[in-house]
Amino acid sequence: MPPSHVPLSVARKRVFESVFASTSLGNTVPTPLATPNIGFAAPGQSFGLATAAAVPQISQSLTDETWPEQVNWDRAWHVATAFLSFSDIGFAALSLLDDVDDNHLQDLWGLSSPSQEAYDALNFLLAPNSPDGDLHSSLKEYDLVEWYCNEMRRHFLANFRTDILKILHGPDQSDILTKVVAYLYITQRIYYTRFLKYVMPKLDITEQEASFSKLQRGFHAVVAYSLPSSQTSALLAKEITAKAIIILGIEGGATGQSGTTDEHGAVNDSMDVDRLYSTSYREWRKEPSEAIRNKKMTDAEDVQVIIAREHLLSLLEGVQAVGLGGNKGQKVFATVMNAMMTEFIRTSYSGQWDTPSLATQHLRLWVENIFARLVVEVLNVFKSPQSERRSEAHLDVRLSDVEKWQEVGIARLGALRTSELFDVIVEWDSSSGAIEDLKHYAHNPNARYSLANSFIATLNQRLLHPGASTVEILQLYISIIRAFNILDSKGVLLDRIARPIRRYLRDREDTVKVIVSGLLADTADTSPNTTDTLAELSTELAKVHEQYFQSDSGELDWDDMNWIPDPIDAAPDYKKPKNSDVIGSLISLFESKETFVKELQNMLGERLLRRRTDFHREISVLELLKVRFGDGALQACEVMLRDVFDSKRVDSVIRNDQGLVKRQPPQGIVTSDRSTTSSETSERIPQLHAKILSRFFWPTLQGQSFRVPAEILALQQRYSFGFESLKPSRKLTWLNGLGQVTVELDLEDRAFTDEVTTWQASVIYAFQSPSTQPSMHPVTKTVAELCQQLEMSASLVRSACLFWVSKRILTETLRDTFRILEVLPNKEEHDSFGAANNVNMDRPGNPPTVARAAAAANAAAAVAAKESADAATMEKMNLYWQFIVGMLTNQGAMPLQRIVMMLKIAVPGGFPYSNEDLREFLAGMVSQGRLEIASGGNYKIMPKH
């Protein structure tokens, strides 16, 4: 190729310098990168001839005075860079890391001492008083430190990067970060050794530190950007996590295990067992004094923690030294510590709800003395370039940072307690410590809003569904009221959370019944295992009675010096009730108190009809409820109680007047043939007692209708005659299905006495032998015969018969055929007895016969009660039949929904039955031929023929 053009003066200088060399570098070929393209001397040809022949004619760029120095510089540059360059070999030459020392590094990468020529070249280029230093000081390509950094980058990417990537992606993933750091440390030694030995000492003392920092930054940059950041960060996070679990005292660790592992991989928790000091909340709160608890957090440290801390800091120092730390390391460490705080809170405080709660105190001490200490130590290792330039007086972690971390920990403890809140309410009040922790968290609107929404979502998922009974829902609601009254005395949180619960309870049909039954329950039944009644309401009613009378001047109490306004997150329609106790909250579920009063009358009527001698509990509840409902609302209940007490006096008078009082028989008149005298015969006359009720004040009483035995019917007539004589303006209507009977049965091998219902007594009375002499064969009757004889429904007859089977008085020989069991079977006959009393449950594994019969009797009684209730409902529905006939006659066929809508409008007080009840009633009318279903499911009147 043709030679390039150079100025004439430059060519002359080259000729001169080729003959009269100024230094000992005259025979050295300069580095092509920094030397003009002037060619080289051939073998046997002088250097000056070659340069003279290659002199081109170009514009003057170099003066005649600068050319000799340029040639010397170029030649020195070539010698120095040739000495400082690295051999292109990687880690393949290293067999074992443990055997690598300085001698290996010198042999493999040519780290031997420089020759005199290289030594002179380095002095020429790097000496502070170099004659040509000012000429090239502004040119980066003539900066030997810059060139060394570029050579380091080139050599690392060409030789070491591939080997390190093989380690990262290799099959052996154990201690992989330690191996990578060790390899990079060797690489660092290779690059730093020549620089520190031969380059840095020759620099000006003011430039040495800056030059070495530049080399460090270059090495760290090439390491950081040549290795996969995601993988190295994951490895670093794994190592920090493993050691931080031990240092921070996280119980069980992030994987649920604690301790170390042996050579077989089994978990060895002996170190946890033998630990002298522990930051565990469970152990910490057991310490007797606050001073000891604080000392455990500040001074005491376990040997296992010390070892883990030293190992972690040593590893991080190596990571920082090879360039994997810095800002990226700080980000990884921050991510790990963020997760570790959450994990520590979860493992330490989950399920720890004892009161008084010391969780917040323990957490603050842990953050201040353990968490913040580890952060300071690690940040002191992971120095970023910006932090290295700061003064020593600058603190990486300030007191304000520690306080912020404590607040973050309290917030996460509150989030944990929020997630546990449903279980806390279930375990109330043994879990009141969790509510104390929540008080430190729920002090700002955002936290309160999050708590309320999270808890409402949990309630909708775990409580407010058809699978939960009304008793369970009310029990949880009572616990919620008590807990949230402690958490928020203003009641704003309770108001927000209780709304979906109250809305759901209003839609439940048995809500009022459960509440009233709980108010009337005996205080002796207030055990925690009671699941069928809210017996605690009876205790709560008496407990809050005194609080109800406390002075309460409303929301604006001008004498209350501690008054504070409602929180800003209160709902627009929020109004704190004057009495936010449990009873007041439950009673206010419904807008009208008539619902509770009506159900109270029904429940009170059932209890007053029982065979009891006193009604102290009912009287007490009624007096307490008068305070809340008023005397006028409970007037009917007062009349019901007065009827029961007046009945005792009236009953005694009528029995005396009619001669129904039982007389004491004379002693010793039983004959040897078991015949009876007239006195014994009078003793066997049944004793009849009656409770006389005021029909207008008592709720409608539903009872089974049937024919009572003739003897009882005669007594009832005599009793009615006596009552009409005593009170001529009144008349008795007997409710036979609501009474109780004390039955005495004489069998061949035993006597039986028990209190049963009137229809059960009537059924067993029907099995009595018709003659005075006992029959040779036990009496046997079928369900059909008993139905005809007693005018009783078949389901009720079968229920009574199965009841007596459960008492081992009857036995079922065939389906719906029963006979008297005069003699109990012996052990040999027990199996045959079980077969004879087969109640469609004789498969293996079933309960004993008596238990099966009792269960079947209860089921049959429930069926009979449902039939009776349905019949009563249908009878009441007949009252609305004329409305339905009028609508269908005047307006033609109608669908069910329209009929319901019209009834709600036309009937005074509204239509009280559901769509299903009306559909069932109309189906009965269709079966009777009084209605028919037209197209589209419309109902129409059947035409009369």
Side-chain angles (χ1 to χ4, degrees), residues 57-97:
Q57 298 295 325
I58 62 174
S59 61
Q60 295 184 358
S61 62
L62 296 174
T63 63
D64 295 343
E65 291 77 11
T66 61
W67 176 245
E69 289 77 9
Q70 177 67 32
V71 174
N72 291 338
W73 184 276
D74 292 343
R75 291 174 180 174
W77 181 273
H78 176 75
V79 173
T81 54
F83 168 72
L84 294 176
S85 61
F86 299 97
S87 303
D88 286 333
I89 58 175
F91 284 115
L94 298 176
S95 57
L96 295 174
L97 288 176

Side-chain angles (χ1 to χ4, degrees), residues 14 26 152 216 266 328 405 410 495 552 569 628 665 702 714 862 892:
R14 290 179 179 176
M152 176 185 65
Q216 283 183 317
K328 290 186 177 180
W405 295 336
I410 296 299
D495 174 71
D552 189 356
D569 57 335
R628 299 178 182 270
Q702 298 293 338

Side-chain angles (χ1 to χ4, degrees), residues 72 175 208 317 323 385 409 470 514 529 534 592 650 781 864 891:
N72 291 338
D175 295 332
Q208 290 181 358
E317 288 174 357
T470 305
V514 172
N529 296 327
L534 285 174
S592 174
V650 175
K781 289 184 178 294
Q891 302 186 23

Side-chain angles (χ1 to χ4, degrees), residues 548-581:
Y548 190 85
F549 290 101
Q550 294 179 356
S551 61
D552 189 356
S553 57
E555 282 290 305
L556 297 178
D557 185 1
W558 303 105
D559 298 328
D560 185 9
M561 302 305 296
N562 297 320
W563 178 87
I564 57 176
D566 295 335
I568 61 175
D569 57 335
D573 56 345
Y574 166 75
K575 183 178 180 181
K576 184 179 180 181
K578 294 183 178 180
N579 297 283
S580 58
D581 58 273

Side-chain angles (χ1 to χ4, degrees), residues 369-497:
N369 298 284
I370 298 178
F371 185 87
R373 176 186 173 184
L374 181 59
V375 173
V376 171
E377 292 172 343
V378 173
L379 291 183
N380 190 45
V381 174
F382 281 161
K383 290 289 187 179
S384 62
Q386 294 79 9
S387 62
E388 292 178 353
R389 292 192 292 269
R390 296 171 182 168
S391 62
E392 295 183 357
H394 179 79
L395 297 176
D396 293 327
V397 177
R398 297 183 294 273
L399 181 60
S400 60
D401 297 329
V402 177
E403 293 175 351
K404 289 180 180 178
W405 295 336
Q406 289 176 337
E407 294 303 320
V408 170
I410 296 299
R412 296 187 182 181
L413 176 61
L416 174 66
R417 291 291 183 250
T418 301
S419 64
E420 298 177 326
L421 188 53
F422 185 85
D423 298 319
V424 169
I425 298 299
V426 171
E427 298 296 332
W428 187 265
D429 56 357
S430 62
S431 58
S432 57
I435 301 299
E436 298 176 16
D437 296 337
L438 275 176
K439 292 182 69 175
H440 298 278
Y441 166 69
H443 56 77
N444 62 77
N446 291 334
R448 293 159 63 90
Y449 180 79
S450 174
L451 185 150
N453 287 349
S454 176
F455 189 53
I456 289 173
T458 304
L459 289 175
N460 291 330
Q461 181 181 5
R462 301 182 60 180
L463 183 66
L464 304 181
H465 55 80
S469 66
T470 305
V471 174
E472 294 173 343
I473 297 176
L474 287 171
Q475 285 176 340
L476 263 295
Y477 181 43
I478 292 171
S479 299
I480 288 173
I481 294 173
R482 293 169 177 169
F484 276 81
N485 281 336
I486 298 176
L487 179 61
D488 179 23
S489 59
K490 298 294 291 184
V492 175
L493 284 176
L494 178 60
D495 174 71
R496 178 176 298 171
I497 290 172

Side-chain angles (χ1 to χ4, degrees), residues 121-180:
L122 292 173
N123 285 333
F124 182 82
L125 296 173
L126 299 175
N129 55 356
S130 174
D132 292 343
D134 296 336
L135 179 66
H136 305 89
S137 59
S138 60
L139 301 176
K140 181 179 289 188
E141 60 267 20
Y142 289 101
D143 187 349
L144 190 61
V145 175
E146 183 70 24
W147 176 89
Y148 192 87
C149 293
N150 292 333
E151 173 66 10
M152 176 185 65
R153 296 188 187 98
R154 180 201 65 79
H155 185 267
F156 181 87
L157 296 175
N159 298 275
F160 294 150
R161 179 174 181 270
T162 304
D163 295 327
I164 296 177
L165 289 177
K166 290 180 180 179
I167 298 174
L168 289 174
H169 299 94
D172 185 10
Q173 295 292 316
S174 60
D175 295 332
I176 188 171
L177 183 62
T178 304
K179 295 178 182 178
V180 171

